[in-house]
Amino acid sequence: MLDLVLVLAFIAYSVNAGLRARRLASRDLGEYFLAGRTLRGWQAGASMAATQFAADTPLLVTGLVAVGGLGALWLLWIYGLSFLLLAYVFAGPWRRAKVLTDAELVELRYGGRGSLALRLCKALYYGGVLNCAALAMVLVGAVRFTEVFLPWHAWLPAGWIDPLARVVGQFGGGFVASSAVAPEVAGADALISVVVLMGFTALYSMTGGLRAVVTTDIAQLAIMMVGTVIYAGVVLVDLGGPGGIVDALVARHGVTQAEHWLSLGPGDELGPALLVVLVLPWLFQASSDGTGYLAQRCMACTDEVEARRAGIVFAWLQIVLRSVPWVIVALGLLVIVPPGPGAVDVAAREQTFVQGIDLLLSPGARGIMLVAMLAALASTIDTHLNWGASYWSHDVYGRLWCEVLRGRKPSGRELVWVARAANVALVIVALTLAARIGSIQAAWHMSLLFGAGIGAVLLLRWLWERINVWSEFAAIAASLVLAPVLLLHCDEVPLRLSLMAIASTGITVGVALCTPRAEPAVLAEFYRRVRPPGFWGRTAAALGEDPRASRRELARGLGRVVREGLVLYLALYGSVRLLFPLPGSGRLGAVVALAIAGGLVLWARRRGD
């Protein structure tokens, strides 16, 4: 009963947040999608972190640690550099651009022939393909959690669940769920869970817009952190603290295996492809400059200082604060639910995160963790609904349908209603895709390659004035052509990503050099408004300004990324190694790492940087 009360309280709070923000959100798209540009940096950063604190992420962490040890988490931790690059290099330009969506930036940056077509292409791809695929994958991950805690077949009368189970069975597969009950019954349970979750999330998201999303995200992040800290605390108490976990790993699995799990190095699995792992995933991706909901949060801040602060808060929450309790749980579960001999079943190990909640937590604590996992799901879904709807209402309906084809300017309230309708459409599409997990997995692999193909041009359009609209078209075309070829003929993922990144970047630069520049007037207007860092000397000189100023700004930003990155990763290393030293080793290295991190922070503050 206590678990149910906590869940209902969470639902009531979220819906109330949407209703309270409804009046302001209904004014126009600036209020609906950017909260009137009133967000503080900590609010925007917390919302970013809540969005990426998806319910499937702790399961992923548990599986990664079981297979590759703590070193495998660098596949996730390395993205901290991308977050810092957003904070110190791109957050300010995004805020100064004063656009409503990242797709709108295309016309501001390039202007002229082809820019509208590129804007619509990106709106459809990001708002439709990538957004719905991400939503569907989140829903598929949610099934692993809801199948344990939401057994609708046991709660509802047979006359209610049986017809739905027959429909799921005839549909041909549907959601993959537990084998403890008949597949069609498990599928019906999963379908009810995701429909209820999507419906409740869409209710407050489409009612209150970004204000409601951020308000609920902050509360949801707090609930998620409290829940995972409680979970980690119970694991520590059950096993006798961090030292007890290390001793138990050695006793059960031997020193060699324990060191493998506790190592923070890249390990044998990542060693041969270390350069690819440390460069390509975070630098060459479909949101390398923050494109998407990260840029949306920066654009919604009150000013560029707050936008930068949002990126910094996001990086620390994402990489350090949320990682420590997850590491404790992942290592503890290797003792509490030890893997069997032979190859590790990754899916089974991921599921132990949910099993541990059921095994270890008392009713009250389990209720908090249940709400935390539901909050993790809701905070991801609400962002994708709100962000995806922004493309359909602003770029497709407002710009193409109303302004270009109909020759009229739509009202703010009209666009808000279109945005709300787009939320509903996104829910339907995501549910349909989630029921076909095979196609989603293929789309996910394709999106990785696509990101490797367009990441460079997303960065270069800010940093180099020579990049033009045809460069972006070329990058997209190269990705679409090369991705199927590489998927068919190259099985090594690091090599596949490397080939895509090298080929697409070369094509992008080649096209930029062989085609005309954007109109000088367009570049001048973009430079005056955005003040982009990098190589803009020709445009700056034409405006009578210092041609080296933008290069100095880029150098300062990259220097801050390096400094803050050192602090971030030293703090992460020190925190984890302080809790879990390698067998037979002391904690001196952890103390030194934390001391250096603290010294760098004090040095930066004295410089006023």
Side-chain angles (χ1 to χ4, degrees), residues 59 62 144-145 147-149 178 231 329 333 336-338 347-361 366 373:
L59 278 69
T62 304
R144 292 188 180 181
F145 171 73
E147 68 182 4
V148 175
F149 294 101
S178 172
Y231 191 4
V329 172
L333 288 173
I336 296 169
V337 190
R349 291 312 306 175
E350 290 174 347
Q351 190 67 7
T352 60
F353 185 88
V354 179
Q355 294 172 357
I357 297 172
D358 200 31
L359 286 172
L360 300 174
L361 301 188
R366 189 169 56 243
M373 295 297 282

Side-chain angles (χ1 to χ4, degrees), residues 272-273 276 449 486-487 489-499:
V276 175
L449 276 179
L486 291 171
L487 284 170
H489 299 288
C490 183
D491 295 329
E492 295 293 330
V493 174
L495 177 60
R496 184 193 300 164
L497 292 176
S498 299
L499 291 174

Side-chain angles (χ1 to χ4, degrees), residues 532-562:
F535 300 91
W536 288 80
R538 181 171 177 172
T539 300
L543 293 171
E545 300 183 12
D546 183 357
R548 296 170 295 179
S550 57
R551 293 198 297 273
R552 288 196 295 265
E553 181 63 23
L554 176 61
R556 280 194 295 268
L558 294 177
R560 289 167 178 166
V561 170
V562 172

Side-chain angles (χ1 to χ4, degrees), residues 401-412:
W401 177 253
C402 291
E403 294 183 12
V404 176
L405 298 180
R406 308 290 293 181
R408 67 179 182 87
K409 190 168 183 64
S411 68

